[in-house]
Amino acid sequence: MAQEQQEKKNIIRRCFSFIRKQFRRVGNRWHKFYTLKILYPSIYKKYSKRPVKEDKVVFIEVRQPQISNSFSVIYKDLKENYNFDVHEHFLRTSYVSRPNHVNRCKEMMKDIADAKYIFMNEASNVVSSIKLRPETFEAQLWHGCGAFKKFGMSTADLIFGDNRRNMMKYPFNKNYSLVTVSSPEIIWAYEEAMNIEKKGIVQAVGNSRTDVFYSGQFIKGAYDKLYQLLPQAKGKKIILFAPTFRGRVAQATSPDCFDIEAFYKAFSHEYLLLFKHHPNVKVRPEIPGEFGEFAFDFTDSMAIDELLCVSDICISDYSSLVFEYSLFERPMIFFAYDLDEYFDWRGFYYDYFELAPGPICKTNEEMIDYIRHIDERFEREKVIAFREKFMASCDGHATERIKDIVFGKETLDKFRIP
């Protein structure tokens, strides 16, 4: 009798759970429709009746709480050398409560309604929910180089992506006047991912963020910062492990199968190991205390641009940072322990085995063995060919070319600080 009552309770509990999920699903769909199809477009339409402000520049960070390295070079330049009216918005998508996020988006809509220039570095269904007035120039600088794992419309109907119908109904990449990429080789991939049919919008003028890698002052500053934070790094080499995230963006996780103990036993006399987890990852794997003098989580301590400068070996997986690292012509290792699963989940633009300019390893033992014999196994010519194919337009002058396209020389001269 007691067992029957318990079974009835379990059935009732499951029914209520199912009903709650259905209500939540309907509520989420209504919220999405209301905000993206009604609320944000109506706010933009109301405030776009104002005349455009010729000096107004708006930078929009979709997730990050501050100006990130995708914007930092051009943002600093505009703030220090020109009399533009520069605004910033941090939407904090997936990081703040729904009401907080809506309020941030509403304020952003009001602000961009009379802006002459908008800079993005990530896709946004919020900014794409409006029909941008023709006087406004929207530049998408993107947050990575090359074309590695698929994104945007290229993931339609894959596990990672939504179905194509929903992606067309609620687009993430719309209104762009310019999309900057790192090489002519990959224009096609961005046109596909962003569903851009008009030629000339995606341009291989280089990525602004890569200009710092040609600055001796920036590189020296990166080493100075490392030695200040980690004095024991002097006299040692650096292994950087910087993987991309797993899962969906809102619930992103980081790989936890890196064998710190094995690396400690093999290399603690010669190397230090630094971890840089993807910014979308909220909960990171912990480093065991007994390896506290060898392995360090530098996710919050140094920017990825700085860490690429100071690393002697970069271990990644499917992250686009390997394109930037190729500028240094140093060894890369691809820790692809879940390659088959990741391919089914998201897919790649190029054959992974042909693309990777370094060893593809599925175990920690393979990586350790390669590093032990790195002097004779490292193939620099492969890295150079990789760089020339995917980073051909990144020569230290990308920001200048981007400014010329977005603003034009006449406008730059007009607002330049004497």
Side-chain angles (χ1 to χ4, degrees):
M1 191 71 178
Q3 186 176 354
E4 290 180 4
Q5 289 179 339
Q6 185 61 44
E7 288 179 358
K8 288 180 181 178
K9 288 181 180 178
N10 290 339
I11 292 172
I12 294 171
R13 202 175 287 122
R14 285 196 293 270
C15 287
F16 273 110
S17 176
F18 175 78
I19 292 170
R20 279 196 300 270
K21 287 181 180 177
Q22 294 307 309
F23 272 112
R24 194 179 299 119
R25 185 176 291 115
V26 171
N28 288 340
R29 287 178 180 173
W30 165 245
H31 173 80
K32 187 175 184 179
F33 176 81
Y34 170 70
T35 54
L36 297 180
K37 294 296 184 182
I38 300 173
L39 179 62
Y40 301 144
S42 65
I43 292 173
Y44 181 80
K45 184 177 181 180
K46 175 183 176 181
Y47 286 89
S48 62
K49 293 176 182 177
R50 303 174 300 194
V52 163
K53 295 181 179 178
E54 296 295 323
D55 65 340
K56 190 172 183 179
V57 182
V58 181
F59 287 83
I60 301 173
E61 287 281 1
V62 176
R63 300 180 194 279
Q64 300 311 311
Q66 67 278 317
I67 292 297
S68 62
N69 48 19
S70 305
F71 282 154
S72 58
V73 179
I74 193 166
Y75 176 83
K76 184 170 183 267
D77 185 27
L78 294 181
K79 291 279 283 187
E80 293 180 355
N81 301 315
Y82 298 88
N83 284 315
F84 287 112
D85 181 21
V86 179
H87 295 211
E88 311 87 14
H89 286 274
F90 307 98
L91 305 186
R92 299 296 282 146
T93 304
S94 302
Y95 286 86
V96 295
S97 67
R98 178 180 285 179
N100 189 329
H101 180 254
V102 170
N103 286 335
R104 289 169 183 256
C105 293
K106 287 162 66 176
E107 291 304 311
M108 181 270 295
M109 281 294 172
K110 294 176 187 177
D111 204 22
I112 66 173
D114 62 357
K116 177 67 175 177
Y117 309 99
I118 299 172
F119 284 99
M120 303 285 298
N121 62 10
E122 192 173 347
S124 170
N125 58 359
V126 176
V127 182
S128 298
S129 69
I130 61 172
K131 183 179 181 181
L132 199 67
R133 61 193 302 175
E135 305 99 312
T136 300
F137 191 107
E138 183 179 344
Q140 172 59 266
L141 304 191
W142 207 237
H143 53 274
C145 298
F148 210 154
K149 54 185 181 288
K150 289 186 176 182
F151 69 98
M153 290 299 293
S154 300
T155 66
D157 300 320
L158 294 175
I159 300 172
F160 178 81
D162 201 347
N163 64 67
R164 187 171 294 274
R165 180 173 172 273
N166 282 341
M167 294 177 82
M168 295 296 290
K169 184 178 180 180
Y170 299 106
F172 275 80
N173 295 284
K174 185 182 165 186
N175 298 316
Y176 299 148
S177 309
L178 170 70
V179 178
T180 65
V181 296
S182 60
S183 172
E185 165 69 29
I186 59 171
I187 288 176
W188 70 272
Y190 282 74
E191 289 177 339
E192 176 189 296
M194 297 178 177
N195 197 33
I196 295 174
E197 296 180 356
K198 185 179 178 180
K199 298 301 178 182
I201 291 179
V202 182
Q203 296 190 39
V205 294
N207 292 64
S208 175
R209 61 179 293 168
T210 63
D211 287 354
V212 298
F213 299 129
Y214 293 86
S215 168
Q217 183 180 0
F218 181 86
I219 295 172
K220 181 182 181 301
Y223 276 103
D224 290 343
K225 188 172 183 179
L226 173 67
Y227 296 147
Q228 182 181 5
L229 294 170
L230 208 60
Q232 60 267 47
K234 289 185 177 180
K236 292 222 172 177
K237 297 175 184 177
I238 301 297
I239 298 173
L240 173 66
F241 179 46
T244 192
F245 66 92
R246 300 303 193 274
R248 301 193 183 279
V249 174
Q251 295 86 34
T253 60
S254 200
D256 59 357
C257 53
F258 195 97
D259 193 339
I260 299 175
E261 182 177 1
F263 272 74
Y264 172 80
K265 290 178 179 177
F267 305 120
S268 59
H269 62 289
E270 186 179 1
Y271 290 91
L272 292 180
L273 176 63
L274 304 185
F275 287 80
K276 178 69 172 180
H277 296 287
H278 194 280
N280 288 346
V281 175
K282 300 180 181 72
V283 181
R284 306 164 194 153
E286 292 187 7
I287 297 173
E290 59 265 35
F291 309 118
E293 293 300 312
F294 168 69
F296 306 86
D297 187 342
F298 261 50
T299 305
D300 297 324
S301 304
M302 293 179 67
I304 186 60
D305 298 347
E306 296 169 324
L307 289 170
L308 293 180
C309 291
V310 303
S311 300
D312 298 280
I313 301 171
C314 179
I315 301 175
S316 192
D317 42 21
Y318 321 113
S319 172
S320 64
L321 66 86
V322 297
F323 294 102
E324 294 156 75
Y325 195 65
S326 70
L327 296 174
F328 295 98
E329 299 180 12
R330 296 173 188 161
M332 287 180 260
I333 298 173
F334 294 79
F335 188 27
Y337 63 92
D338 59 348
L339 178 58
D340 295 337
E341 179 185 341
Y342 197 88
F343 180 82
D344 292 339
W345 171 262
R346 190 160 178 176
F348 303 100
Y349 287 108
Y350 294 85
D351 183 280
Y352 188 81
F353 291 94
E354 294 179 3
L355 175 78
I360 297 171
C361 304
K362 292 203 170 185
T363 67
N364 285 270
E365 290 73 22
E366 289 176 283
M367 292 193 291
I368 290 171
D369 182 64
Y370 176 80
I371 295 174
R372 280 186 172 137
H373 303 92
I374 199 164
D375 289 338
E376 59 263 33
R377 293 185 184 176
F378 173 48
E379 299 176 281
R380 187 184 301 275
E381 62 277 7
K382 280 190 175 182
V383 177
I384 293 173
F386 178 84
R387 184 199 69 204
E388 290 176 347
K389 182 174 183 177
F390 293 105
M391 299 294 287
S393 302
C394 297
D395 58 0
H397 302 287
T399 302
E400 289 300 318
R401 289 191 290 269
I402 293 168
K403 285 194 305 179
D404 287 345
I405 295 172
V406 175
F407 301 101
K409 293 185 182 296
E410 185 177 333
T411 300
L412 290 172
D413 290 340
K414 177 181 176 181
F415 289 102
R416 193 186 306 274
I417 296 173

